[in-house]
Each structure stands twice: as C-alpha cells, then as structure tokens.
Amino acid sequence: MTTYSRINTIVDAVITDLQTATTLGLGSSPKVYERDEHPQAALNRGDLPCAYVIPIMEGGDEVSPGINTSSYRHEFPITVTAYYMGNDLTATQLGIDLRTTRNYAYQYVDYYLTKSGGRTVGGGHIKKLKVDVGYWVSGGGQVVHYWIVKMDVTACSS
C-alpha cells in the first residue's frame, strides 16, 4: 500500500464514521466534507448541521523511517469540526446550546472508545484526542455552535 493510499484510507474511515454515527446531531443523512471552511460558508449555504474532516493540518505528518526496514511510521493530526445552528443569543439559550454541542463532541470521542476495534480508524491508531467547543455569531446575529476534535493518529506504511 502506498503512503498516500494509507493516509487516504484513514481519512475515508473518519468520514464514514461521521456519516454512520447516530448520536452526533448531524441528521439522518449527514453532510461530511473533507475540507476546512469558516462557519459563515456553511451558514450561507444552509448546510447546517455539517462536519468537516481536515487531515494533516496544524502539525503536519511526522514521518520516521524504521531501522533496517522499508516501513515508515507516520504521526499526524486529523481535525474534525462540526457546526450546528444555534437557537438564540440569550444567555439561557446559549448555555443550553453549548451543553448540547459539548455533548455531541464527547459522544464523538466516546464513539472511538466503544466501537468495534477500539481506538482505531482505517488502520491507524488514535493516540490522543483534544476537544474544543464554542460558538460564533454572524454579522446578522445568527449563532453557529461548533465542536472541534483533534485526533493524533499513528500509522505505518511500507
């Protein structure tokens, strides 16, 4: 298997996991894209809720050749971001929506703790996950809530 096909297999597995997980609030036909966009782009398209898979950004792929072998060890991040339409800008509603969004983020993390095969994705091993949750307010006062999970993945290629 070539290096790029190994990495693409892992990215495709993350996309499939997002499309099949039912507890993330992404709807029955989740919109999942391999790209990075500001929440404004998704809001303008009427694409909420949706998720983005962003491979090998903010850290790159650290490639370590094996000793006396033709294999390489890859350590790289995959960032997943999900966006949801908020309900209101009131303090009470912001708190409710933030909690809901945070719950989705941790349900995504839990997905990899409980899925068959454990903390693996497409032949890669998930070493660490970092969670961020927040919201963004458009110029028109619309609220977009989001969660970001950065997964540090290790994989080998030959």
Side-chain angles (χ1 to χ4, degrees):
M1 179 177 277
T2 63
T3 300
Y4 69 82
S5 61
R6 166 66 78 196
I7 302 300
N8 289 343
T9 296
I10 293 168
V11 171
D12 291 343
V14 170
I15 292 169
T16 298
D17 288 345
L18 285 161
Q19 291 171 330
T20 59
T22 59
T23 59
L24 305 179
L26 294 172
S28 58
S29 298
K31 296 174 223 140
V32 181
Y33 308 103
E34 182 182 346
R35 63 179 181 239
D36 186 12
E37 286 187 325
H38 190 274
Q40 183 72 51
L43 179 65
N44 288 346
R45 271 196 314 273
D47 233 4
L48 302 177
C50 67
Y52 296 105
V53 177
I54 311 157
I56 312 179
M57 287 192 58
E58 298 180 26
D61 181 10
E62 187 174 312
V63 182
S64 304
I67 298 173
N68 297 326
T69 70
S70 61
S71 68
Y72 292 95
R73 177 184 173 102
H74 297 267
E75 295 185 36
F76 57 92
I78 295 178
T79 303
V80 176
T81 303
Y83 296 124
Y84 306 87
M85 191 66 172
N87 292 304
D88 199 355
L89 251 177
T90 64
T92 300
Q93 192 59 55
L94 279 175
I96 291 168
D97 289 348
L98 278 170
R99 180 173 289 239
T100 300
T101 303
R102 183 176 66 237
N103 291 348
Y104 291 147
Y106 282 106
Q107 287 169 337
Y108 182 69
V109 168
D110 288 348
Y111 178 81
Y112 287 106
L113 296 175
T114 59
K115 79 175 219 173
S116 177
R119 290 175 294 274
T120 62
V121 59
H125 174 73
I126 300 170
K127 290 181 12 175
K128 181 172 69 173
L129 298 122
K130 180 182 178 195
V131 178
D132 286 306
V133 178
Y135 66 93
W136 170 81
V137 181
S138 75
Q142 296 170 298
V143 182
V144 176
H145 289 267
Y146 62 84
W147 57 261
I148 302 168
V149 173
K150 183 176 179 184
M151 301 185 295
D152 288 337
V153 179
T154 300
C156 292
S157 66
S158 50

